Amino acid sequence: MRRTTILISILVLLAGIGAAPAAGAASSPVADMDEPNATYEPCEFPVEMTDATGERITLDEQPERVTTIGPSAAQTMWEIGGDEQVVGVSQFAHYLDGAEEKANVSAEFGASVEQVVATDPDLVLAPNVSAQDVEPLREAGLTVYHFPEATDTQDVAEKTETIGKLTGNCEGAAEANAWMNANVDALNTVSDEADERPAALYPLGDGFVAGGNTFIDEIITISGADNVAKEYEGFPQLNDEVLTELDPEVLVVTMPGVFLEQEPYDTTTAGETESEVVVEVQWLNQPAPRSIVEATHTLASQLHPELYDESVYVERSEISVQSVDAETEAETDEEESDVEDVDEETPEDTPDDAADVSTPGFGVVVALVGTLLAALLALRRVE
């Protein structure tokens, strides 16, 4: 009878001890912390990168003086926290806070080689629109990094990351990209809920429009509309007959009221219903993180007012990033903490092979079972 009672006690203790770790496992300090939106590799110098022309660019140290000869590069430098490094900008970047204090390096067409040289830059950032200026600047002895055309968010993210590495602003670049991607995801949710996606067109004048494989086409798509000129790649010039057949339901414009009454747009559904959505020109024509965020939110709020509200907008302050080094250190600390916890739970007299068992609390179970079995043997001796 006594042996039966002791055996029952052993089973009860085994069940109770086996369940205890499972209850505690759910309350990990790491699980309660907010995860970063993105991680990044810390900047290191010297850095070597190959640009769109195949030129290998080497920077031995972080550049202190950076000149941008395209507004999208300037906008990106502002977004990643590198505006104080910028010493020269083009005239179309003067909307940026403090840009008017920088040297204006624009010529009548493109950049002025003389004015760029006068800024004494350690690095010149040249977006795709400045392609014709790259070689003259290199011939003048300047280090120039030329970017390929950015046609979608992935291209913009890669360009932003590259500028971050070249200028020593890797954390800022990761944060800007994470902020951009979070807003794109939020707007995709809005457009997915829409019953209809209006047929849109961005006219440039003289029959030129924004076609497929362009940054503007990407903006239109994210905003919840379909570009009716998508089948024409780039920025084609279409005749009136083709434009009439495309029959856009809404025009995307930077200047309200200009195209709706012009032929052939006045005979399209957009013209007849006077439907247009307006966005500021710098957000629609400069491939950079803030352009994507501002343009898509502006257009989505007009295209789908029944679905859009301010809560869709993800604030920059809501974004957090973490370096890969910090993430590795955190994982190492967590692993070491787990090891220490196991050591504290393992009795000093537990055999080495028992300490290798991975089941939580197993050492304690062995000790208790041993104690109860000893009591059972003692009872048998008494009987």
Side-chain angles (χ1 to χ4, degrees):
M1 179 66 180
R2 291 178 182 176
R3 284 200 297 270
T4 302
T5 302
I6 292 174
L7 287 172
I8 292 173
S9 299
I10 291 173
L11 293 173
V12 171
L13 284 169
L14 283 173
I17 295 171
S27 58
S28 168
V30 176
D32 294 336
M33 296 173 61
D34 291 333
E35 292 293 329
N37 298 87
T39 58
Y40 65 93
E41 293 278 356
C43 290
E44 293 183 357
F45 289 90
V47 62
E48 293 186 3
M49 304 188 79
T50 302
D51 76 351
T53 66
E55 187 80 7
R56 189 71 175 171
I57 307 300
T58 302
L59 295 170
D60 293 328
E61 56 187 7
Q62 182 178 6
E64 296 180 357
R65 301 176 64 83
V66 178
T67 294
T68 59
I69 59 174
S72 66
Q75 185 192 135
T76 302
M77 283 295 288
W78 257 252
E79 285 306 308
I80 66 178
D83 53 299
E84 292 186 1
Q85 294 167 263
V86 177
V87 292
V89 298
S90 68
Q91 60 182 326
F92 298 110
H94 284 171
Y95 67 93
L96 298 165
D97 291 339
E100 69 279 357
E101 300 173 4
K102 315 292 184 180
N104 184 347
V105 298
S106 292
E108 184 176 359
F109 298 101
S112 165
V113 175
E114 293 77 12
Q115 292 179 42
V116 173
V117 171
T119 63
D120 189 26
D122 301 315
L123 173 66
V124 177
L125 298 176
N128 182 65
V129 292
S130 308
Q132 74 278 0
D133 301 313
V134 174
E135 285 308 315
L137 291 171
R138 285 178 176 158
E139 291 172 0
L142 300 181
T143 299
V144 183
Y145 190 96
H146 176 55
F147 296 90
E149 182 181 6
T151 61
D152 55 29
T153 54
Q154 182 61 37
D155 291 343
V156 170
E158 290 176 0
K159 182 171 76 170
T160 303
E161 183 178 357
T162 297
I163 292 178
K165 290 179 178 178
L166 290 170
T167 64
N169 295 291
C170 295
E171 180 177 359
E175 184 179 299
N177 280 337
W179 176 59
M180 174 184 70
N181 291 331
N183 276 283
V184 169
D185 290 342
L187 287 171
N188 283 337
T189 300
V190 172
S191 60
D192 288 345
E193 293 177 355
D195 294 333
E196 296 181 358
R197 295 174 62 90
L201 180 69
Y202 177 53
L204 296 166
D206 294 329
F208 286 97
V209 298
N213 197 31
T214 62
F215 177 69
I216 294 171
D217 177 68
E218 177 85 337
I219 293 295
I220 291 173
T221 301
I222 295 171
S223 303
D226 293 325
N227 182 8
V228 293
K230 193 179 187 69
E231 63 181 293
Y232 303 96
E233 189 168 317
F235 296 91
Q237 186 179 28
L238 307 178
N239 60 42
D240 288 357
E241 182 180 354
V242 172
L243 290 171
T244 302
E245 290 176 354
L246 290 177
D247 192 27
E249 297 173 311
V250 59
L251 298 184
V252 177
V253 299
T254 58
M255 297 178 292
V258 173
F259 291 102
L260 286 178
E261 296 180 0
Q262 289 185 11
E263 295 182 353
Y265 304 109
D266 58 343
T267 60
T268 65
T269 300
E272 292 172 352
T273 59
E274 298 185 348
S275 298
E276 63 180 7
V277 289
V278 186
V279 62
E280 292 183 46
V281 64
Q282 68 267 21
W283 306 136
L284 199 57
N285 294 313
Q286 298 178 16
R290 182 166 291 277
S291 286
I292 289 179
V293 174
E294 298 298 337
T296 53
H297 277 278
T298 299
L299 293 178
S301 65
Q302 298 172 71
L303 291 167
H304 301 288
E306 74 286 357
L307 297 174
Y308 183 92
D309 62 59
E310 293 182 358
S311 66
V312 176
Y313 188 91
V314 180
E315 298 286 350
R316 183 71 177 262
S317 59
E318 299 177 47
I319 301 300
S320 66
V321 295
Q322 179 176 281
S323 72
V324 173
D325 290 346
E327 182 183 40
T328 302
E329 290 175 4
E331 291 176 352
T332 301
D333 291 343
E334 182 182 355
E335 290 172 0
E336 290 176 352
S337 176
D338 291 342
V339 171
E340 290 174 0
D341 291 342
V342 171
D343 288 343
E344 290 175 1
E345 292 179 358
T346 303
E348 294 181 0
D349 57 349
T350 300
D352 291 340
D353 57 346
D356 291 336
V357 178
S358 61
T359 304
F362 192 79
V364 178
V365 174
V366 171
L368 289 173
V369 170
T371 301
L372 290 170
L373 287 175
L376 181 59
L377 289 173
L379 181 59
R380 290 185 62 184
R381 292 192 189 98
V382 172
E383 291 177 342

